[in-house]
Amino acid sequence: MAVNYPLSNFTGIDIVPTFPVDTHPSNTAFEQVDITEGLPFPDNKFDFINIRFVLCLMQEKNLTFIFKEIMRVLKPGGWLEILDFTSDLINPGPAHRYFYNKYQALWRQRGINFYLISALPKYLRRYDLIDIHNEEKTTFFGKKGGVIGELCLKDWARVYITLKNSLCEFSSITSEAYCQLVEDFKTEVDDYHTAFKMSRTFAQKPRKKLLNL
Ligand SMILES: C[S@@+](CC[C@H](N)C(=O)[O-])C[C@H]1O[C@@H](n2cnc3c(N)ncnc32)[C@H](O)[C@@H]1O
């Protein structure tokens, strides 16, 4: 985006230093921030805030504070855009269903609302946001999804490998059995035509403070 919009300045945040230090466009900056501890920016700073694949990882108890902080640093008239995975899974095969159920149970145990993303348009009404839009897009894993589907399959297989220790401990399955399930997942998506839904929600902060009548 920084390359496509050279007249704008971009600030990225993450809890770990993921930003490339050697080379990056001059209109970008990065701050290492734990979003659950607040945003180190003044009020009304940003015209646009984009948050992608992060909210689905946040514990429910932190969400009100996170949204208050987002609203504080967003300029009046500015826009918030949230992209994330919904909890909807279409035509999962047995391996994928296994991961999905365990993942869901583990998230619940960690205080994360697995269904938050699908409920976002309703959830955002609690804040002063207006003009709330939502669109969902279905993407097939693997061959049926073309290049994007193949990349998503690789990405999700990597996510499941990353979660191996947590999910093995949580569900008392051996590491070997777990790795076999990841392999099964990679091949079964083409047989079952498995797909998932991505959600994009965007909304505007009013130019003037709404009166809470
Ligand atoms: C799935 S990745 C998405 C990365 C990036 N937003 C993107 O769309 O490519 C989730 C990111 O959230 C970051 N993250 C997790 N907890 C966080 C927190 N409390 N504060 C800030 N970032 C956090 C992780 O370090 C990770 O980089």
Side-chain angles (χ1 to χ4, degrees):
M1 285 185 80
V3 172
N4 290 339
Y5 299 94
L7 299 180
S8 300
N9 292 312
F10 293 83
T11 303
I13 61 165
D14 200 288
I15 197 169
V16 292
T18 50
F19 194 62
V21 277
D22 303 334
T23 161
H24 54 80
S26 59
N27 56 338
T28 55
F30 176 79
E31 299 228 15
Q32 195 171 346
V33 170
D34 179 349
I35 196 176
T36 64
E37 293 188 349
L39 297 170
F41 306 111
D43 296 356
N44 307 323
K45 181 173 168 68
F46 297 104
D47 296 292
F48 173 62
I49 293 178
N50 173 286
I51 178 162
R52 189 179 75 168
F53 306 146
V54 174
L55 280 184
C56 65
L57 305 170
M58 294 295 118
Q59 287 183 300
E60 200 155 23
K61 65 174 186 190
N62 293 323
L63 288 174
T64 302
F65 177 66
I66 291 172
F67 276 105
K68 278 195 174 150
E69 278 294 275
I70 289 173
M71 290 302 284
R72 182 182 65 74
V73 301
L74 189 60
K75 272 186 195 165
W79 288 85
L80 167 67
E81 181 183 48
I82 299 163
L83 285 116
D84 225 314
F85 299 105
T86 73
S87 49
D88 296 327
L89 186 59
I90 300 151
N91 304 329
H96 204 163
R97 192 178 289 282
Y98 174 88
F99 286 128
Y100 184 80
N101 290 339
K102 295 294 175 195
Y103 189 70
Q104 189 173 0
L106 181 65
W107 257 217
R108 199 178 306 124
Q109 194 197 53
R110 292 184 176 180
I112 299 170
N113 179 353
F114 197 67
Y115 301 100
L116 170 76
I117 302 303
S118 303
L120 261 184
K122 219 162 119 196
Y123 187 88
L124 290 184
R125 281 192 208 115
R126 290 185 203 170
Y127 301 89
D128 275 350
L129 288 158
I130 55 169
D131 213 0
I132 299 171
H133 299 257
N134 174 260
E135 54 194 46
E136 288 190 349
K137 196 169 175 184
T138 301
T139 304
F140 286 91
F141 284 106
K143 293 193 182 86
K144 197 169 158 71
V147 178
I148 303 279
E150 298 284 4
L151 284 171
C152 287
L153 178 57
K154 259 194 197 161
D155 200 37
W156 275 85
R158 245 189 3 213
V159 168
Y160 289 138
I161 291 292
T162 306
L163 288 171
K164 187 172 85 169
N165 288 350
S166 304
L167 282 181
C168 279
E169 195 185 312
F170 181 72
S171 47
S172 316
I173 178 177
T174 64
S175 175
E176 292 71 30
Y178 187 93
C179 291
Q180 183 57 52
L181 278 170
V182 176
E183 291 309 309
D184 293 348
F185 158 66
K186 286 194 219 162
T187 51
E188 74 182 16
V189 289
D190 289 327
D191 300 331
Y192 284 81
H193 295 168
T194 309
F196 65 96
K197 279 191 190 164
M198 199 92 92
S199 150
R200 185 168 89 100
T201 307
F202 57 98
Q204 190 180 26
K205 178 172 169 177
R207 287 179 197 281
K208 287 192 183 141
K209 175 106 183 73
L210 294 176
L211 293 172
N212 288 325
L213 297 173

